[in-house]
């Protein structure tokens, strides 16, 4: 039987660096059963609590339906859990939380949130905060091939990293973190330093077309997101031929890859 694709969300956290646009990425723990040891963007499953927050107090200036808003809430929560960046504002404020408030939240609640002993709504409520989904720009939508035993229905979002928020991996699911240009991430993967699943590699390639954060965000705002669910056929050894829609704008429709689970 075909495994169900679990809803998931991820943020491509961006900043401008000396060599162009940079994205924050983490290396997943080798004991994780999904993309173990791979270089990925922070993210994870959409939880029931994300759906509840999206249907309740979460700001919704774009008037998204609750399901679409829940993906954004999950992306914001996962980014706080995995790298300590929190895209949230004090109630009634247009400014993101400051570094002192973020440090207090990390010290008091991040470990408990990661352990599942406290909910994200409680973390936000402790400081009178609301998520800031308007800071996220929809970038991509990928669904794991139907042949895989563990499948995800993942929405990718772009967000500019707040200057005062220091991104650091959690040391649990993620064991290493790096700010890196898309070109460097792809080159280091080619050289054997990193592993990338197919979706991550293609989204890095697309992101790398932009020179800076402003261009990347503006391009994404003006583009249509086309759902990608690769269709594959086996070649020699571990290689696969993967087919994706031309309209998704990844520079082609057929790609030969060395197969990794979750590709």
């Amino acid at each position: 039987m075909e495994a169900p694709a679990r809803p998931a969300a991820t943020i491509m956290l961006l900043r401008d660096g000396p060599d162009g646009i940079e994205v924050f990425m983490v290396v997943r723990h080798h004991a994780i059963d999904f993309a173990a040891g791979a270089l990925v963007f922070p993210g994870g499953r959409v939880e029931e609590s994300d759906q509840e927050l999206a249907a309740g107090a979460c700001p919704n200036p774009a008037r998204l339906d609750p399901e679409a808003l829940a993906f954004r809430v999950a992306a914001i929560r996962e980014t706080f859990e995995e790298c300590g960046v929190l895209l949230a504002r004090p109630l009634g404020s247009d400014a993101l939380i400051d570094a002192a408030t973020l440090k207090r939240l990390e010290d008091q609640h991040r470990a408990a949130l990661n352990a599942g002993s406290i909910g994200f709504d409680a973390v936000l409520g402790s400081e009178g905060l609301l998520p800031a989904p308007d800071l996220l720009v929809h970038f991509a939508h990928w669904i794991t091939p139907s042949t895989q035993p563990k499948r995800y229905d993942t929405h990718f979002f772009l967000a500019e990293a707040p200057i005062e928020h220091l991104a650091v991996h959690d040391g649990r699911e993620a064991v290493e973190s790096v700010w890196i240009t898309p070109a460097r991430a792809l080159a280091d993967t080619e050289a054997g330093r990193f592993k990338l699943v197919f979706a991550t590699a293609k989204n890095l390639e697309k992101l790398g077309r932009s020179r800076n954060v402003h261009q990347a965000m503006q391009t994404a705002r003006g583009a249509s997101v086309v759902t990608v669910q690769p269709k594959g056929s086996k070649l020699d050894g571990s290689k696969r031929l993967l087919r994706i829609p031309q309209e998704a704008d990844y520079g082609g429709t057929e790609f030969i890859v060395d197969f990794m689970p979750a590709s």
Side-chain angles (χ1 to χ4, degrees), residues 57-89:
C58 183
N60 188 11
R63 300 183 183 277
L64 300 169
D65 64 65
E67 181 180 6
L69 189 59
F71 279 99
R72 287 161 172 79
V73 172
I76 291 171
R77 173 183 53 75
E78 287 282 348
T79 301
F80 177 62
E81 289 181 4
E82 292 196 18
C83 63
V85 171
L86 181 55
L87 301 176
R89 301 184 179 97

Side-chain angles (χ1 to χ4, degrees), residues 82-193:
E82 292 196 18
C83 63
V85 171
L86 181 55
L87 301 176
R89 301 184 179 97
L91 185 63
S93 174
D94 292 331
L96 288 175
I97 64 168
D98 58 26
T101 303
L102 178 59
K103 179 66 166 57
R104 187 163 58 248
L105 282 173
E106 283 195 274
D107 291 344
Q108 295 177 358
H109 301 303
R110 187 179 172 193
L113 181 63
N114 279 331
S117 57
I118 188 174
F120 189 45
D121 57 342
V123 175
L124 296 172
S126 69
E127 294 285 346
L129 303 173
L130 293 174
D134 56 295
L135 298 181
L136 277 59
V137 178
H138 199 194
F139 185 75
H141 179 209
W142 284 66
I143 301 174
T144 310
S146 59
T147 54
Q148 295 305 299
K150 202 173 192 78
R151 304 180 60 234
Y152 289 92
D153 179 341
T154 306
H155 288 268
F156 293 73
F157 301 95
L158 302 184
E160 185 171 4
I163 295 175
E164 289 189 324
H165 296 202
L166 179 64
V168 179
H169 60 276
D170 64 5
R172 187 175 61 94
E173 291 189 5
V175 295
E176 183 182 347
S177 59
V178 61
W179 282 102
I180 194 167
T181 65
R184 173 54 59 191
L186 293 163
D188 283 357
T189 298
E190 186 69 23
R193 181 183 175 193

